[in-house]
Amino acid sequence: TRALILLYEELTVTVETIKALQADHFGRWKNREAIAESMIPVLGSLARERNVVVTVFGRSLVNRSVIQILKSHRRVRMIAGDLSVVDTYPILEIIASLDVGTCEIDIGKLAIDYRENGQGADLRAFVAAAVQPGIGLTPQGEPRDVVLYGFGRIGRILARLLIEKAGNLGGLRLRAIVVRKTTDGDLQKRASLLRRDSIHGPFEGTIAVDEENEAIIANGNFIKVIYASQPEDIDYTAYGISNALLIDNTGKLKDDAGLGRHLTCPGVTRVILTAPAKGTIKNLVYGVNNDTITDADTILSAASCTTNAITPVLKVMNDHFGILSGHVETVHSFTNDQNLIDNYHKADRRGRSAVLNMVITETGAAKAVAKALPELLGKLTGNSIRVPTPNVSMAILSLTLEKAASKEEINEFLRQVSLHSNLQDQIDYTNSTEVVSSDFIGSRSAGVFDAQATIVNGNRANLYVWYDNEMGYSCQVMRIAEQVSGTHYLHLPIEG
């Protein structure tokens, strides 16, 4: 009887302890929810009235829900240490009280930096010193007109990104979409494809169709749909478009002569191709060789999704460890140029069913790296396997390094690069043992380094890089577009 009484008392204590823990965790969650809710109007006001975009380790908090704000903070905990809205909200309030203009401020970095290096300093003084370069900056001038030539997978994601940023003063403004008219009801079908996406989910906002004026109204933005068969057929000034940046998403025109046809159209002054270019056109990977852009470069290429995913990682590995040689194997989601079922195709193997087979095919990504990183010319080979997934791909970098390293050394180096370098928008980092390809749908980095998959043997290293070959690539295109349009923001705090 005595033993039973003691057991009952122990169980009672355990139950009460669990109840107390449950109440504590739930209470903290509700408190963080309330804080995140309080952040939303401050974030919106800073963005609309002063052109200040607030981020957490590169993830924008503008126009995000309470849960999205909390998840942005949670992600940081996995790679940079504990961080919550309890830490960042006081910093956000201080920024709102300062005379800050047109810039991007990372409150996650400020919070971690204050915790590690503040040494008891006054928080307001610490934040003010970090954002001093943005004090007194004024909003940018008129927004730059953008035309999307082609409205396929990349075109529609670029449209979403442009509409999302339409409220930024002096930013990019989507004015028109150029397509070939197919059938009656074409406009409704184009709008529906923008509204609903099987991979990236529904459009965040409202979309309506103006049949009379042949336009799509997205979140209040009037986007003219221009039907044309040839670039030369269009006078953009007739639609009130001038000094426009045209982004060609068709992949049909790839050289100076072809893409130069856009520049003969009134209203267009610059062209970006969302595919690897031929001839003398610069193939750019933002973060690596975008500093080579000059005012004379009226036609530019954003290279390929794979080239954008692997080049930043290859650059930092070559800078730090040296690369003697390497092979890039791409495990790539199938694309629209493949057949759903077996049928004729001009390319080898791509005629076989994309949804039923792994298909070996060529990739020019390894050779294209040398256009952005000449120091790797002749050092890399590459191949690709198309697999039956609709989005998110992986690049396996098999490298022979100049000096031996350990798995831990390489992982820690790339973790630091993803957090504290000018390539943090290009190189993301994951250390989870459970992630699979679908977890990276919507990733806005050029590539995500998977630390758990790293294999190292002396000076031989196999690195695995995930990438959303649609969204991640489109974000790289946007970064180039912002640079050439003079709408790129000052990033604070300044690294180093």
Side-chain angles (χ1 to χ4, degrees), residues 273-296:
L273 170 65
T274 59
K278 298 177 180 179
T280 60
I281 298 171
K282 291 179 180 176
N283 285 265
L284 301 169
V285 174
Y286 192 88
V288 176
N289 68 331
N290 56 291
D291 59 345
T292 65
I293 299 174
T294 67
D295 292 339

Side-chain angles (χ1 to χ4, degrees), residues 1-9:
T1 302
R2 180 176 176 80
L4 287 173
I5 291 172
L6 290 172
L7 179 60
Y8 174 76
E9 290 175 348

